[in-house]
Amino acid sequence: QVQLVESGGGLVQAGGSLRLSCAASGGTFSTYNLGWFRQAPGKEREFVAAISRSAGSTDYADSVKGRFTISRDNAKNTVYLQMNSLKPEDTAVYYCAATPYYRGRYFDDGDYWGQGTQVTVSS
């Protein structure tokens, strides 16, 4: 059983930056593929970024490509999402997810999910 705890969210002005962290416990972190998702009010959860076990492969939603960077530190059991050039439309609750299966950007409810951290970008 893997537990995921996100942190680093907050309020930031448009054009600013935030770095989200997701700390994992209870599993062998290096064997999991990891992802970040977000859900804005009234909208469905959407994929943001994913990273493979060895960090050899990453994937991004078109809406964040070039602005966000996903990374992981297997020694610290932590995955990060560096968010630059933030826009008001990036406002959402951000969730990290972990799965032992490599499916690229596809994670489902059967995978492990954190409780989320709020990111609010003001214009």
Side-chain angles (χ1 to χ4, degrees):
Q1 192 77 3
V2 176
Q3 291 80 44
L4 302 170
V5 179
E6 302 95 338
S7 62
L11 174 64
V12 64
Q13 288 189 330
S17 298
L18 282 175
R19 188 176 82 153
L20 305 184
S21 300
C22 175
S25 61
T28 305
F29 184 77
S30 61
T31 66
Y32 287 88
N33 299 289
L34 304 166
W36 285 97
F37 289 74
R38 66 187 182 187
Q39 187 167 20
K43 294 187 176 182
E44 293 187 352
R45 187 176 65 198
E46 65 174 359
F47 167 78
V48 175
I51 188 166
S52 62
R53 294 183 185 91
S54 64
S57 177
T58 58
D59 189 17
Y60 296 92
D62 288 344
S63 59
V64 307
K65 201 170 292 184
R67 299 188 298 123
F68 291 11
T69 303
I70 188 170
S71 62
R72 65 189 294 166
D73 186 336
N74 287 344
K76 295 183 178 180
N77 289 357
T78 302
V79 58
Y80 304 98
L81 185 68
Q82 177 67 44
M83 306 186 295
N84 299 329
S85 302
L86 282 161
K87 304 175 182 180
E89 51 263 44
D90 294 319
T91 295
V93 177
Y94 283 71
Y95 300 89
C96 65
T99 179
Y101 310 107
Y102 184 71
R103 296 186 239 104
R105 61 177 61 188
Y106 299 104
F107 291 68
D108 61 33
D109 291 344
D111 296 320
Y112 300 105
W113 293 85
Q115 293 301 305
T117 185
Q118 176 71 47
V119 171
T120 303
V121 184
S122 63
S123 57

